Amino acid sequence: MSIKKTLKNLNALATLAVAAALVAPASAAAKTELVLWTSYRGAERTALEKVVQAYNAANADVRVNVLAVPHDAFADKITAAVPRGKGPDLFIYAQDRLGGWIEAGNTIEPLDFFLDDETTGRFLPTTLDAMTYQGTIYGLPLNYKVLTLIYNKAIIQEPPKTSQELVAIAKKHTDVAAGRYGLVYWYSDFYVHSGLMNAFGGGVFDGDRNPTLDRAANVRSMDLLLKWINDDKILPAEPSTALITALFNGGKAAMIFNGPWFLGEISDDVDFGLALLPKIDEAGGAPMKPWATIEGIYVSATSQHKDAAFDFIDYLTAAPQARTLALEGRQTPANRQAYDDPAVKKDPVLAAFSRQFENAVPMPNLPEMSMFWSPATTAMNLIVKGSASPSAALKEAQEKVLRDVQRLRGSGG
Amino acid sequence: MTRLSPRARWLAAGLALALAAALAAEHRLLERAREAHARLAAQRTAVVGVRALAEVVSRAGGQGDEVRRAVERFAAAQGELAPIRVVDFNARSLEASTAPADQGEQAAPRRLVREEKDLYDQAQRLRAAVETNRQEGVSRKDEVEIERTAGGGFRIAAPVEPAGEVTGAVIAERPPPAAPPAAGWGGALLALLAAVGLFAALAWLLGDRPAALAAAAVVLLAAAALGYAAVSLGGLAADRMAMEEAVAGRLASTARLAESVLGDASFDAAAWDADVYRRGLGFVAADGTIDAAAVTADLGRTRTRLWRAAAGVTAAALALLLFVGLGGAGRLAVTVVRHRVAYAYVLPAIVAMVVLVFFPFAYGIALSFTESTLYNESQGLWEKWIGVDNYADILSDVAVVKQAEQGSTYDYENFYWTLGFTVVWTVVNVAFGVTLGLFLALLLNRQGLALRPVYRVLLILPWAVPNYITALVWKGMFHQQFGVVNQIVQMLGLAPVAWFEHPFTSFLAIWATNGWLSFPFMMVISLGALQSIPGDLYEAAEVDGASRWQQFRSITLPSLKPALVPAVIISVIWTFNMFNIPYLTSGGEPAGATEILITGAYKIAFQKYQYGYAAAYATIIFLILLAYGTWQNRVTRATEAVG
């Protein structure tokens, strides 16, 4: 009996020892592990990893692991995984899905509590607006993308400052028979059109979050576009991204409106310059204000290490890191202190986009935004093909959007 | 009792069992209703206290010593609200707190610490809710948050609005209310015994008359179950009046308290008794009088709901009675016992099917009758019930072609456009897959073909690659600048094509992708069938002087039919529901023109966030496929009969 008992005790001891052995290495490395999801590739990814490595090296008790997730699947994975506690601690995405995730709940952690004036003061205000939903900041902005005027230096020496100059210069360089155009851009795309729309004070939501696709300013912006197409004849018919690339690289487009993603597509033979989008005389001299897409980093609402996660994004968005991401990752940083850096200041591309960004509006981050694209695209096609007047087409689209929005909001309670 | 026939015994057993189950369910129902009443009474009195305090705090400007004095007065007068905290998010401060931990060093006012982030976030959430509801003109976000705490109590948060702007919140906890005295089982037991006893007596009187006995059992069950429900629901009115009186009392005392703290009475105390959107319930006036008509009307609604539930329970019990009483249960038991091994084997599959297939299916159907969206996800399905509105909405919009002032345009988001596109997509893809697959199979089936295994493996390869990878690869190939397709187009001296910017080219792109994926399956099927055709048929045909085409038409095709027809049926359903290719390759571009039904439903659910509408869409897809399957079945059977 006593032998049995001893054996039993020994057994228990052995079990304890094994358990201790299993626990020991884990507790020795009691690091906070943070998982960061991103869809970055190429230079952006390399630059981000460099910054993360520096952070890991400097912080013995935290380890940030960067996990690449394909862009096509990114948003859906976040939607499915994070509310169930299976997702990352941190993730990087543009502002367009922000509202949907916040309304769904339990996905993105509000950050206001962590933020002080010093932190919020380091960002360009517009980028912070994009991260704000109903008055609460949910992410820290990393970078932005915005349309600007890109011109062929071999054709144009002095880019236009106003819409009248734009039309005059464009007319001079348009020869439809030879396939040459003074101005080429994807004007039938609603996102691209936002530059003109916002110049007239247009927009898609009023201050109370109601859809206002058919407001008078939007109609006026369409009228100006139609004048450029039909009266001034400076734009090619049926523009597509392929056509724009082909014309610009073939030296047959003097000016285009396009974003940073286009720069990689410009052929080496073309000497191009970047300039501000012109002021619109027809809108009382207001500048074109294209929609900007702002990428931010967010803390998951279900993360177990929110404090550590915030400390990391605080580090990631500080000036030195923003500089690395800008110069090595080729991003236009949301941190305004990064522009004080001589290397960033000297970079003509970053400088041009940051100037244009002063005249930019963050694309709305309301969940209702996803209901605009299809009706707005249909309306744009009708308008530029002349099948419907701007006011009729926009009215039709507005009704459609309104129906979807009302279906979403319901009667409520 | 010995004279009872087996049938009567089954009926008696069924009656006892079903009635016991029904009474137990009704008893539980009643108990839950009473618990809900008690909880609601506690919640309403607590909400009155918290909202009154929020109003007092708001008038004091949301911060300062006056706020702390008011909190002390409320804590003393309404002891069950503990702890009470007042948060100001602009100053990031804890303005007042009666929590034991917040004394001495930690006493308010002080800055919030990181552990108190949830208090701060809650106050901000209330501000956002108030602003959103105000802007949108609807009540969809909670302006008063009521959470159940772990122990069954409440945590209530109400916004502090000093000058029409929310600046903070009053957050208070209330312990769980005392449970109402448990309802006795006496009544239920009495009903059970009475019904079974009566049935036994009847059985003895009537003798072996199955129809009469069955009818008697049904009547007894219904009478006992509904009678019990009627008697026990009678107590509900008293409970409800007690609740209103408790709220009225609290409202009056709170109003006096607020008046003494504020020094005036310029507030609307009745508004404190409100729902989570701060809309007054209207049952109790500020002076404590109860609006009996409103209470009775509301009680009527509660009663109707409970009656419906009781009727449902009774109906289920009747089904159980008939199942047992008419011998179904007995036969089932015998079968289960006899084949217990077989049932044990299939049990995991049954459970898995119920959990993974039947439940989601039923839930999806139920969802399709509601107006569920991202915004009201947390409400129960019943509160969002709208009947067949979703279906009517989808099916009644037939304006595929919109007339504009000049010319016309297609509405790509219209259901019928998508349906038409899906049909075209399915027919073209299946026809293409069958033709190419059969053609390649015929080539591979030639006698003496060198390296045949190599060709076969190469041709099956597209099928072996996961289809989402194929979809993404082809999407890359159709990229207008870097894609290999446009490189070839340019080599031929043509202008590059923006594949996904026109419905037709976009369709060509996804058709090519899916064609690449679908021919190997048809090829394998055809190859297998070809190899099973006896060679002597062809020899005989040759002897008779038949041409190759005649051999193909009269021997090969008829022999392939038994293998090809099921393959085509399956292929049609696969293609109809082929989510990955359109979703990943074209993404529905341009403007949803190349969406098929299944990707359309997905987008409605996860990009437009209209879950109920999307569920109706999905149900319609199911019905279409069901109709197709039924029709196909009939046609196949017909061909089999002829063949």
Side-chain angles (χ1 to χ4, degrees):
Chain A
M1 166 103 172
S2 75
I3 291 177
K4 226 178 181 179
K5 206 170 180 181
T6 319
L7 272 178
K8 217 174 173 182
N9 284 342
L10 272 176
N11 216 341
L13 265 178
T15 316
L16 266 178
V18 170
L22 282 173
V23 169
S27 63
K31 273 193 176 185
T32 305
E33 295 263 342
L34 295 177
V35 177
L36 164 62
W37 281 9
T38 167
S39 58
Y40 283 173
R41 297 192 303 185
E44 286 187 314
R45 170 100 181 273
T46 318
L48 176 70
E49 275 173 354
K50 186 178 163 189
V51 171
V52 167
Q53 263 169 21
Y55 185 77
N56 287 341
N59 292 275
D61 53 342
V62 181
R63 194 182 154 71
V64 181
N65 294 315
V66 179
L67 189 70
V69 175
H71 185 265
D72 293 311
F74 199 95
D76 294 340
K77 271 180 181 272
I78 292 292
T79 307
V82 173
R84 287 157 194 85
K86 305 281 185 198
D89 298 289
L90 297 153
F91 58 97
I92 296 175
Y93 206 79
Q95 91 270 27
D96 56 334
R97 293 295 290 264
L98 195 58
W101 281 327
I102 293 162
E103 291 286 354
N106 210 22
T107 309
I108 300 186
E109 182 73 9
L111 298 182
D112 275 339
F113 184 73
F114 293 126
L115 298 172
D116 47 32
D117 290 345
E118 193 220 312
T119 317
T120 51
R122 68 163 76 130
F123 299 109
L124 298 165
T126 312
T127 63
L128 214 51
D129 288 349
M131 299 288 115
T132 306
Y133 186 78
Q134 284 294 55
T136 298
I137 297 174
Y138 282 89
L140 294 188
L142 284 172
N143 59 71
Y144 56 82
K145 295 185 175 76
V146 67
L147 297 169
T148 193
L149 173 68
I150 305 176
Y151 62 98
N152 188 330
K153 281 187 171 169
I155 305 175
I156 289 178
Q157 284 73 43
E158 190 65 31
K161 297 240 175 353
T162 66
S163 57
Q164 280 172 5
E165 285 175 38
L166 175 87
V167 170
I169 295 176
K171 266 186 179 163
K172 208 163 72 190
H173 298 287
T174 301
D175 178 358
V176 179
R180 292 177 179 282
Y181 294 93
L183 177 65
V184 180
Y185 73 103
W186 195 11
Y187 53 80
S188 57
D189 182 80
F190 192 60
Y191 180 84
V192 176
H193 181 73
S194 65
L196 270 184
M197 181 177 79
N198 292 329
F200 282 89
V204 293
F205 291 104
D206 67 7
D208 287 346
R209 299 157 64 94
N210 299 311
T212 54
L213 197 50
D214 58 348
R215 64 167 98 168
N218 294 0
V219 174
R220 283 208 302 281
S221 74
M222 299 287 177
D223 288 338
L224 177 61
L225 173 62
L226 285 180
K227 174 181 165 282
W228 285 358
I229 299 172
N230 299 328
D231 304 343
D232 300 329
K233 295 190 170 50
I234 51 173
L235 287 163
E238 301 206 10
S240 68
T241 43
L243 180 77
I244 296 162
T245 315
L247 288 177
F248 194 72
N249 281 342
K252 292 182 167 175
M255 295 175 282
I256 60 173
F257 300 158
N258 226 321
W261 53 85
F262 182 74
L263 300 183
E265 299 190 21
I266 300 178
S267 110
D268 295 336
D269 315 331
V270 178
D271 184 16
F272 66 93
L274 303 175
L276 275 181
L277 291 169
K279 293 192 167 73
I280 303 297
D281 299 310
E282 290 81 350
M288 283 179 76
K289 285 185 179 171
W291 271 339
T293 307
I294 290 118
E295 215 167 35
I297 182 159
Y298 314 100
V299 176
S300 299
T302 52
S303 165
Q304 299 296 314
H305 311 290
K306 289 173 192 166
D307 285 355
F310 176 77
D311 291 341
F312 171 72
I313 63 173
D314 187 31
Y315 164 86
L316 185 68
T317 51
Q321 285 64 248
R323 176 186 181 276
T324 310
L325 289 173
L327 294 174
E328 296 176 29
R330 301 309 303 158
Q331 297 182 338
T332 23
N335 185 314
R336 61 170 164 208
Q337 296 152 357
Y339 295 95
D340 298 338
D341 182 88
V344 175
K345 219 182 248 174
K346 253 196 337 229
D347 190 309
V349 172
L350 295 181
F353 283 114
S354 70
R355 265 207 316 283
Q356 179 62 55
F357 191 65
E358 287 164 19
N359 287 330
V361 179
M363 192 172 72
N365 59 15
L366 307 185
E368 287 86 352
M369 193 64 212
S370 63
M371 285 151 206
F372 276 88
W373 296 117
S374 188
T377 307
T378 309
M380 291 295 298
N381 282 329
L382 288 177
I383 293 168
V384 301
K385 286 188 185 130
S387 322
S389 70
S391 57
L394 286 177
K395 190 161 165 279
E396 164 101 37
Q398 164 76 5
E399 278 164 14
K400 234 171 147 179
V401 172
L402 210 55
R403 210 178 57 201
D404 270 339
V405 168
Q406 272 163 0
R407 208 181 276 141
L408 172 67
R409 290 180 183 166
S411 47
Chain B
M1 285 308 256
T2 46
R3 293 200 299 117
L4 278 185
S5 65
R7 212 188 293 267
R9 251 179 274 163
W10 273 120
L11 276 171
L15 177 62
L17 192 69
L19 189 54
L23 291 173
E26 283 178 359
H27 187 265
R28 179 86 198 101
L29 213 63
L30 178 77
E31 203 142 73
R32 282 180 55 177
R34 294 176 50 143
E35 276 168 23
H37 254 113
R39 219 168 36 234
L40 192 59
Q43 180 183 315
R44 280 173 63 189
T45 50
V47 166
V48 166
V50 172
R51 291 214 43 216
L53 180 55
E55 177 140 4
V56 172
V57 169
S58 301
R59 288 177 182 227
Q63 42 178 276
D65 291 334
E66 221 174 302
V67 168
R68 282 178 285 283
R69 269 198 299 279
V71 168
E72 268 163 37
R73 293 280 304 274
F74 268 77
Q78 303 191 352
E80 84 271 17
L81 293 180
I84 304 173
R85 293 188 180 90
V86 178
V87 172
D88 182 317
F89 56 72
N90 287 328
R92 268 176 224 224
S93 60
L94 184 69
E95 282 301 316
S97 170
T98 62
D102 295 331
Q103 307 305 329
E105 288 276 286
Q106 295 294 309
R110 62 170 169 80
R111 244 180 115 75
L112 290 164
V113 295
R114 266 199 181 187
E115 287 70 39
E116 290 165 332
K117 180 170 186 287
D118 59 331
L119 297 177
Y120 175 91
D121 286 346
Q122 188 164 32
Q124 284 277 18
R125 206 155 56 224
L126 291 174
R127 173 195 55 75
V130 170
E131 285 174 9
T132 305
N133 290 347
R134 212 171 270 162
Q135 287 175 343
E136 293 178 0
V138 294
S139 295
R140 69 173 177 88
K141 291 192 150 192
D142 292 3
E143 297 181 9
V144 175
E145 291 192 359
I146 302 167
E147 283 166 68
R148 300 285 297 279
T149 54
F154 304 103
R155 182 181 146 120
I156 297 166
V160 171
E161 265 181 297
E165 294 276 325
V166 181
T167 61
V170 172
I171 300 164
E173 288 184 26
R174 189 212 187 280
W185 284 94
L189 213 59
L190 196 69
L192 180 65
L193 288 179
V196 176
L198 258 174
F199 180 76
L202 275 174
W204 182 71
L205 279 174
L206 291 171
D208 192 14
R209 283 161 64 186
L213 277 181
V218 166
V219 170
L220 280 173
L221 175 76
L226 294 178
Y228 177 70
V231 170
S232 45
L233 281 179
L236 219 56
D239 281 2
R240 181 58 192 262
M241 277 323 282
M243 181 203 306
E244 299 304 333
E245 274 157 20
V247 172
R250 173 55 61 93
L251 211 52
S253 71
T254 310
R256 280 195 301 278
L257 176 63
E259 194 181 337
S260 85
V261 173
L262 285 172
D264 69 61
S266 57
F267 46 76
D268 177 17
W272 295 336
D273 179 32
D275 65 5
V276 291
Y277 307 115
R278 298 195 295 178
R279 296 183 300 202
L281 294 176
F283 297 133
V284 181
D287 58 359
T289 51
I290 297 167
D291 184 348
V295 174
T296 313
D298 192 58
L299 184 64
R301 280 192 288 277
T302 314
R303 215 191 276 265
T304 310
R305 216 175 48 235
L306 286 171
W307 259 117
R308 264 194 212 137
V313 165
T314 310
L318 278 175
L320 182 65
L321 165 68
L322 295 178
F323 181 57
V324 175
L326 299 183
R331 280 194 298 278
L332 180 70
V334 169
T335 326
V336 169
V337 170
R338 188 180 298 154
H339 303 290
R340 56 187 172 279
V341 179
Y343 277 102
Y345 279 133
V346 296
L347 187 66
I350 292 176
V351 171
M353 289 288 280
V354 167
V355 173
L356 299 176
V357 179
F358 298 128
F359 171 72
F361 183 76
Y363 186 81
I365 302 266
L367 195 63
S368 71
F369 293 106
T370 69
E371 50 170 359
S372 280
T373 66
L374 175 73
Y375 287 169
N376 60 15
E377 229 180 334
S378 51
Q379 294 171 13
L381 288 185
W382 190 248
E383 295 162 47
K384 300 177 281 191
W385 202 262
I386 52 166
V388 296
D389 283 9
N390 286 331
Y391 293 94
D393 224 32
I394 294 169
L395 295 175
S396 65
D397 182 10
V398 292
V400 180
V401 183
K402 289 254 155 92
Q403 288 302 327
E405 288 137 71
Q406 294 117 38
S408 55
T409 164
Y410 294 105
D411 178 7
Y412 296 140
E413 288 198 320
N414 187 288
F415 171 76
Y416 293 100
W417 167 276
T418 314
L419 176 65
F421 184 84
T422 312
V423 170
V424 171
W425 154 262
T426 308
V427 170
V428 168
N429 270 299
V430 173
F432 178 77
V434 170
T435 316
L436 187 63
L438 185 57
F439 177 71
L440 289 172
L442 287 171
L443 284 187
L444 281 181
N445 199 37
R446 287 167 68 99
Q447 293 300 316
L449 181 70
L451 294 177
R452 180 156 53 173
V454 177
Y455 294 139
R456 203 162 49 195
V457 167
L458 283 180
L459 286 171
I460 291 175
L461 218 53
W463 196 23
V465 177
N467 63 11
Y468 60 90
I469 295 196
T470 310
L472 292 175
V473 167
W474 279 80
K475 181 187 183 162
M477 297 213 294
F478 282 108
H479 188 280
Q480 61 189 24
Q481 195 196 0
F482 307 108
V484 69
V485 179
N486 269 359
Q487 305 280 353
I488 295 171
V489 166
Q490 277 170 301
M491 272 197 302
L492 297 175
L494 301 170
V497 181
W499 288 98
F500 299 116
E501 287 174 22
H502 189 276
F504 182 66
T505 52
S506 193
F507 170 69
L508 287 184
I510 54 175
W511 175 31
T513 312
N514 201 53
W516 167 258
L517 271 173
S518 58
F519 78 82
F521 172 71
M522 285 298 173
M523 187 191 79
V524 169
I525 298 277
S526 314
L527 200 55
L530 280 176
Q531 279 163 355
S532 67
I533 304 176
D536 38 5
L537 285 179
Y538 293 103
E539 277 170 33
E542 243 160 67
V543 170
D544 287 345
S547 69
R548 292 300 288 265
W549 174 243
Q550 281 173 320
Q551 288 179 25
F552 178 74
R553 285 220 23 211
S554 310
I555 301 174
T556 315
L557 271 188
S559 314
L560 285 178
K561 202 167 161 191
L564 272 186
V565 168
V568 167
I569 296 172
I570 288 182
S571 182
V572 163
I573 292 178
W574 278 350
T575 316
F576 198 89
N577 274 344
M578 174 51 90
F579 181 85
N580 286 351
I581 304 303
Y583 181 73
L584 292 173
T585 307
S586 79
E589 292 295 306
T594 58
E595 216 79 76
I596 62 172
L597 286 172
I598 194 90
T599 58
Y602 177 87
K603 291 211 165 151
I604 293 171
F606 298 106
Q607 288 183 6
K608 295 186 174 181
Y609 312 111
Q610 297 162 1
Y611 305 138
Y613 194 77
Y617 216 84
T619 308
I620 291 174
I621 300 176
F622 165 73
L623 292 177
I624 291 171
L625 283 178
L626 186 71
Y628 165 78
T630 316
W631 172 78
Q632 183 80 60
N633 242 342
R634 196 166 293 162
V635 171
T636 333
R637 230 179 294 141
T639 51
E640 270 166 10
V642 172

